[in-house]
Amino acid sequence: MRAITRTRGVLCALALVATVNTAWPAASTAADRAAAYGEPCVREQLAVPAGTHRAGVYDADPTGRFQVGYTMDQDFVYHLIRWTDGVPEDLGTARTGATGINAHGDIVGSESDPETYRSAGWLYRNGEFTELPGIEPGFDTQPTAVSEDGTVSGASGQRPVPVVWSPAGGVRPLDLPPGGSGGRGTDIDDDGTVVGWTDSGPDTATHATRWSPDGTVRRLPEHRPGPETGSTAEAVRGGTVLGYEVYATGPSTILRWRDGAAAGPDVLGEGTPQAVNGRGSVVVRTTPDTKLWLIQNGVRRSLPTDSTPYPTGEVTALTDADIAYGRWNSTPVRWDCRLP
């Protein structure tokens, strides 16, 4: 996750009405319903280079040593930034659309050509940027996350299909479930498990999908399956998958699938998923109050942001030590949620 590590995904037109008139409902299990509210997490600002006008964090590696994000300088030019042990490093202005980082500091991302509208994916490793190939020459490439060994998840194609790039840079498409015609890998676990979504055509709903390390594909069970339900898996870590589903009417529902999801998903409330870590902790943003919460060992803890009707905070990654990274207003921050 990355961690919703990480927060990514597309759901078709059903998502347009997904966050209207929503509330925090009862959780799906007796244990979750009895969950206590703990002390708020502590918000801390990350260091930024001099002259920064605004900044944010795209992703963090599970150990918390590396983060990747952006800054905008006083001339409104974006810079790619990598933090190492809290120290920011400016990686330039040529490539700024990062989507993932791993425990070695490798970064993936993509840039869109304003003339051709083609998305070109890239990998930053050992101080160099390299282009990630498409499944056919000239096809879009959209990497989303990179695992510890350097395997990259994402999508490629004129109509995107889910793919992985090997640590050596080779690309291969992932299998689609029966009736599937497209999709995207949104995240990758360190064992090679990929999660994301697939669909049956450009005008159909997306459905949360998981690919095992051996390539076996499986659509994840939904909470309210039906012809007007769509879903996506946003993040995976340690076998726990975080995502959400939407309906033709009503709110979006945050879902957590554990250990292969044989028993179906847990319902974590109404809103949007943010991130998951290897301990099974998750961060969610509830609606309509737009509050961030860490759900940790049955306890909900607030990640402080402004009290407004609009989101002022976003979590893009959650380390295995329960430290969340993201933005608060236009500032890159972390929320320290470690227990004493």
Side-chain angles (χ1 to χ4, degrees):
M1 137 201 321
R2 236 158 177 320
I4 339 191
T5 75
R6 307 168 188 177
T7 306
R8 312 171 184 95
V10 178
L11 264 187
C12 81
L14 293 175
L16 294 177
V17 294
T19 58
V20 178
N21 296 324
T22 58
W24 177 258
S28 61
T29 68
D32 285 341
R33 286 194 294 272
Y37 287 85
E39 292 294 320
C41 304
V42 178
R43 189 181 67 225
E44 303 167 338
Q45 183 173 334
L46 299 186
V48 294
T52 294
H53 177 63
R54 61 185 300 177
V57 177
Y58 290 129
D59 194 22
D61 88 275
T63 72
R65 185 184 182 202
F66 295 105
Q67 298 83 45
V68 63
Y70 69 92
T71 61
M72 177 192 286
D73 62 28
Q74 300 296 327
D75 295 322
F76 305 105
V77 176
Y78 282 93
H79 298 247
L80 182 67
I81 302 294
R82 182 177 65 182
W83 287 267
T84 305
D85 297 324
V87 179
E89 176 188 6
D90 191 333
L91 300 182
T93 60
R95 294 177 172 89
T96 59
T99 53
I101 191 168
N102 67 9
H104 302 289
D106 301 335
I107 303 169
V108 293
S110 62
E111 310 299 328
S112 179
D113 187 317
E115 295 183 359
T116 65
Y117 301 103
R118 175 176 174 262
S119 177
W122 49 263
L123 168 70
Y124 178 82
R125 178 182 292 157
N126 298 326
E128 295 184 356
F129 289 93
T130 58
E131 186 170 329
L132 293 172
I135 53 174
E136 296 288 346
F139 278 9
D140 283 3
T141 50
Q142 300 167 323
T144 55
V146 55
S147 70
E148 184 176 13
D149 74 355
T151 304
V152 178
S153 62
S156 178
Q158 291 179 325
R159 169 161 171 71
V161 296
V163 302
V164 292
W165 288 270
S166 71
V171 61
R172 66 177 176 87
L174 296 172
D175 288 341
L176 295 172
S181 68
R184 178 175 300 177
T186 57
D187 200 10
I188 184 169
D189 213 344
D190 284 341
D191 68 353
T193 297
V194 175
V195 299
W197 55 266
T198 55
D199 61 27
S200 301
D203 297 321
T204 63
T206 67
H207 296 281
T209 305
R210 176 184 182 272
W211 291 267
S212 300
D214 65 2
T216 302
V217 59
R218 176 180 177 231
R219 279 188 171 167
L220 294 173
E222 292 165 338
H223 173 55
R224 290 172 51 188
E228 296 186 325
T229 297
S231 63
T232 184
E234 289 285 302
V236 60
R237 180 69 179 161
T240 299
V241 181
L242 187 64
Y244 65 103
E245 68 182 29
V246 297
Y247 321 103
T249 59
S252 60
T253 301
I254 307 165
L255 302 180
R256 176 179 59 194
W257 294 270
R258 307 193 216 209
D259 301 326
D266 299 327
V267 177
L268 301 182
E270 295 172 358
T272 55
Q274 300 282 283
V276 62
N277 70 10
R279 300 171 58 184
S281 301
V282 300
V283 175
V284 300
R285 185 165 63 202
T286 56
T287 54
D289 55 6
T290 64
K291 291 184 180 296
L292 293 171
W293 299 93
L294 175 79
I295 303 175
Q296 173 192 63
N297 298 325
V299 176
R300 296 191 187 103
R301 300 177 62 193
S302 171
L303 281 66
T305 59
D306 293 337
S307 296
T308 76
Y310 307 102
T312 61
E314 176 187 34
V315 169
T316 53
L318 181 65
T319 74
D320 289 342
D322 288 325
I323 297 176
Y325 286 88
R327 65 165 182 86
W328 172 64
N329 291 319
S330 299
T331 304
V333 297
R334 72 176 204 165
W335 289 268
D336 191 340
C337 301
R338 292 174 292 182
L339 294 173

